[in-house]
Amino acid sequence: MLFGSRITTHFDYILIFLILPLIITSSFLLNETSQTLLIRQTSYVFLGIFIFLFVFFIPFRYLYKSVTIFYIVCILLLLAVEFIGTTKLGAKRWIDIGNFSLQPSEPVKIAIVLFLAHYITKNPPPKEGYGWLEFLKISSFILLPFILILIEPDLGSAIIVLVMGYGMLFIIGVHKKIWITCIISTLLFSPIVFKFVLKPYQVDRIMKLVNGDTSTQVQQSLIAVGSGGFSGKSYNEATQANLKFLPVATSDFIFAHFAERFGFIGSCVLIVLYVFIILHLLSFCFLDSQDYFLKVIASCLAMLFFVYASVNIAMTIELAPVVGIPLPLLSYGGSSFITFIILIAMFENATTFRFSFTENKTFFNKLSKL
């Protein structure tokens, strides 16, 4: 009874109520665009529910060794992409396992969050924040997968890993002198990265954005966003999506599809909804100053929502180069959707079971040895 009452008391229902409108809106837009995609996305939703329930009851706080192994396996999978990876759309990002294609950059995000949560819990920052030694150690755990993903190349996912990791560190606490040094170093070395690290097509996208040389994709997206007006258009009048002028209206440019249907008012409501989700997650970073496990998971999930939503929306209105980053829980696709569901389940697990349960102490002690 105590175990069940703890769940109902400490489970965060607010986050669930905040993400439900996104999932429902996604189904609504897909229903107008493609019945086939709607059926597939619905199957992802039901799969996500089962995965959520399974992940929610995993005692992550007590599985340090298992989490470490999971992180190492994900790194090895990223390395394997270089040798046995499958190339699609000009990038080698997938590994074929029978009839199933795995994109290692998705599970590695989960692995990074869990691994950092355990590491920082065991090595909490001092009052003035981490010094250089710990900062460099934690940076290595972030930069290794970042570099491997960047090599594929997958600039979008690499940026997500980088911002998620260092955004979390900013919230957890690092000495301000280190941040000043990092900012100066970034400014000094950015021309070298631009010249020698980025691929030619990536540089081309950035230069087109700077020069105002808008691609056809973005032009159609801007038309869709602008044509929505103040209150949006009806289904029959939303020609950009219905007549297929808007590219990938169900995934990368679904915000433009949304803006055409619901206009400026609807777009503002959607953006505010994402802001509420991010702020709500960040509020848990201050729930318990000593619970670094919850802090890391909450801050990483907040960073992910922020990066995904801001970059996706920015690229549809010509404020960022086009990269393959979906709108969280709104864009069509199974990989991103399931990744977010797993991370949300991990967050709910961390906040619901943040207290030690006496009746489960023996069970958890056994698990901690795994």
Side-chain angles (χ1 to χ4, degrees):
M1 291 295 292
L2 180 61
F3 187 79
S5 65
R6 295 275 189 177
I7 294 176
T8 55
T9 302
H10 301 295
F11 186 87
D12 180 32
Y13 298 97
I14 295 176
L15 180 60
I16 303 302
F17 285 124
L18 287 174
I19 67 173
L20 278 177
L22 298 175
I23 298 173
I24 293 170
T25 303
S26 175
S27 299
F28 176 81
L29 294 176
L30 288 174
N31 181 56
E32 293 186 345
T33 308
S34 170
Q35 290 293 320
T36 302
L37 295 184
L38 173 63
I39 293 172
R40 289 180 183 176
Q41 192 67 16
T42 302
S43 67
Y44 295 144
V45 171
F46 280 105
L47 177 62
I49 293 173
F50 285 108
I51 290 176
F52 178 92
L53 293 173
F54 175 77
V55 172
F56 176 71
F57 288 103
I58 297 175
F60 292 108
R61 291 177 184 265
Y62 306 90
L63 299 176
Y64 176 69
K65 292 181 181 179
S66 299
V67 166
T68 303
I69 293 172
F70 178 49
Y71 175 83
I72 293 172
V73 168
C74 286
I75 295 299
L76 292 175
L77 286 173
L78 286 175
L79 287 169
V81 170
E82 180 66 23
F83 302 100
I84 60 173
T86 302
T87 302
K88 298 178 183 179
L89 302 176
K92 189 187 290 186
R93 303 173 185 172
W94 293 265
I95 295 176
D96 287 336
I97 305 173
N99 296 324
F100 176 74
S101 289
L102 173 66
Q103 189 174 358
S105 60
E106 290 299 326
V108 80
K109 296 168 190 171
I110 300 169
I112 292 171
V113 173
L114 281 174
F115 183 76
L116 291 179
H118 274 287
Y119 184 86
I120 291 173
T121 299
K122 289 181 175 293
N123 304 275
K127 186 176 181 180
E128 64 276 10
Y130 283 123
W132 275 109
L133 181 60
E134 283 298 331
F135 176 77
L136 292 175
K137 281 183 180 179
I138 297 173
S139 291
S140 67
F141 303 139
I142 300 169
L143 292 175
L144 178 57
F146 163 76
I147 293 170
L148 293 175
I149 294 172
L150 189 64
I151 292 172
E152 291 181 353
D154 188 352
L155 180 61
S157 294
I159 291 174
I160 288 171
V161 168
L162 199 66
V163 176
M164 177 189 73
Y166 285 102
M168 175 275 298
L169 272 179
F170 181 81
I171 294 170
I172 294 298
V174 173
H175 199 285
K176 61 182 180 180
K177 290 182 180 180
I178 296 177
W179 288 126
I180 294 172
T181 304
C182 290
I183 292 171
I184 294 174
S185 300
T186 300
L187 293 175
L188 291 175
F189 287 98
S190 55
I192 298 175
V193 173
F194 186 81
K195 181 70 175 178
F196 299 104
V197 177
L198 295 181
K199 302 291 182 181
Y201 76 90
Q202 294 169 341
V203 174
D204 183 60
R205 287 180 181 178
I206 295 173
M207 293 308 300
K208 283 184 177 180
L209 177 68
V210 173
N211 297 328
D213 185 10
T214 309
S215 66
T216 303
Q217 288 179 316
V218 179
Q219 287 177 359
Q220 296 299 331
S221 175
L222 290 171
I223 292 172
V225 172
S227 66
F230 190 71
S231 57
K233 290 182 174 182
S234 66
Y235 170 73
N236 293 328
E237 294 176 332
T239 55
Q240 283 299 109
N242 293 340
L243 299 180
K244 311 301 181 184
F245 289 117
L246 181 64
V248 281
T250 58
S251 55
D252 290 355
F253 288 91
I254 197 169
F255 178 76
H257 182 189
F258 179 91
E260 185 180 28
R261 286 289 280 111
F262 300 103
F264 177 77
I265 295 176
S267 299
C268 288
V269 171
L270 180 64
I271 292 172
V272 169
L273 179 59
Y274 278 118
V275 171
F276 277 158
I277 291 173
I278 294 166
L279 292 178
H280 177 68
L281 288 168
L282 289 177
S283 70
F284 281 83
C285 296
F286 308 97
L287 191 65
D288 183 349
S289 60
Q290 300 303 313
D291 191 353
Y292 287 101
F293 193 86
L294 176 58
K295 273 187 177 182
V296 171
I297 293 180
S299 58
C300 282
L301 185 54
M303 289 297 116
L304 283 176
F305 268 104
F306 171 74
V307 177
Y308 270 90
S310 58
V311 172
N312 180 276
I313 294 172
M315 76 180 190
T316 61
I317 56 176
E318 205 182 3
L319 293 178
V322 177
V323 291
I325 295 181
L327 201 54
L329 304 178
L330 195 66
S331 294
Y332 165 78
S335 298
S336 173
F337 182 84
I338 296 300
T339 298
F340 268 97
I341 291 298
I342 292 174
L343 288 168
I344 290 170
M346 286 164 47
F347 164 77
E348 293 288 4
N349 173 285
T351 185
T352 302
F353 302 112
R354 63 182 182 272
F355 301 104
S356 298
F357 302 141
T358 305
E359 64 271 28
N360 295 295
K361 188 174 182 180
T362 302
F363 173 67
F364 287 145
N365 284 340
K366 290 179 179 179
L367 285 173
S368 65
K369 298 177 182 179
L370 296 178

